[in-house]
Amino acid sequence: MTRSQMHSELKFLLDKVDSSAAPLFLTDEMDRLLNISQEKFIAKRAFGNNPRRTTFEEDQKRRDDLRTIVGNTVITNFSTSEHSKPNSVLITLPADYRHSVNEEVVFVNGERVGVKPITHDRYNKIIDDPFNKPHKNTVYRLDYGGDGDTNIAYVELITANLADSTILEYHLRYIENPPQIGADQDCVLADHTHREIVRMAVVEALEGIESPRYQSSKIELNEIE
């Protein structure tokens, strides 16, 4: 659906076209309802808080729900800071980054290995453990907020202290933050998700105006997923 078609569907489901039972929603208000619902849709489909209780890639429906916002990037610019861990580099994540799906690095010797995320507590336990600390086939990742700029997200990649363990490329596949639905922007999620997003927007709207139809609409929403 286009943005205009989603608006029309929203109006139809709310019975507001010719009804004076509740105030009409303005165009900007409908955009806001759709964007709130788009955010909820992504979060629910990615992490299992949905009627099917399935998460991203757990079945074909979940793969198709979010496939259009799975992006890929190759990063070759790395940095460090005074707070960096030993044998580590900082990666600046893409501006539209939301959640990681898959990560790999390419070393200067051409070898490509997967990246394993760990917690900071786990890092403290294993960094001096000869059996678990980074080696030539292991790269650990710590999440890092940077040095004060809350608009920039980083990850810190920790490698073995070996000449061949110098990182040449960082390959990241990730769930993107989609653009907001608006005047010049349609919903970029897969077409089959648009009606579900509109139905979620209906529930948001009915809850906002405290309509008695709220509960029945919420039940219907669970049944169509």
Side-chain angles (χ1 to χ4, degrees), residues 72 99-104 112 115 170-174:
N72 197 81
H99 303 297
S100 172
V101 174
N102 180 262
E103 300 165 73
E104 296 174 301
R112 185 164 176 161
V115 175
Y170 172 62
H171 293 247
L172 173 66
R173 186 161 292 179
Y174 63 103

Side-chain angles (χ1 to χ4, degrees), residues 28-53:
D28 287 348
E29 292 172 331
M30 287 190 288
D31 284 340
R32 187 174 301 176
L33 287 169
L34 291 172
N35 283 311
I36 290 171
S37 299
Q38 178 176 254
E39 285 295 305
K40 286 189 174 182
F41 179 88
I42 295 169
K44 288 175 179 291
R45 272 45 180 180
F47 298 111
N49 184 19
N50 55 71
R52 298 163 67 94
R53 295 291 185 264

Side-chain angles (χ1 to χ4, degrees), residues 76-140:
T76 57
N77 294 321
F78 315 115
S79 63
T80 59
S81 81
E82 60 180 317
H83 305 299
S84 296
K85 303 292 186 185
N87 305 314
S88 71
V89 294
L90 294 177
I91 309 291
T92 302
L93 295 172
D96 61 351
Y97 171 86
R98 188 182 184 105
H99 303 297
S100 172
V101 174
N102 180 262
E103 300 165 73
E104 296 174 301
V105 299
V106 177
F107 292 132
V108 290
N109 64 0
E111 186 175 5
R112 185 164 176 161
V113 302
V115 175
K116 182 178 181 180
I118 61 171
T119 65
H120 286 79
D121 283 345
R122 177 67 176 161
Y123 171 84
N124 287 336
K125 291 177 182 177
I126 68 175
I127 197 60
D128 294 319
D129 181 343
F131 298 103
N132 290 294
K133 69 180 182 179
H135 55 80
K136 64 178 182 178
N137 294 319
T138 304
V139 177
Y140 290 128

Side-chain angles (χ1 to χ4, degrees), residues 105 210 220:
V105 299
E210 299 181 351
E220 289 175 8

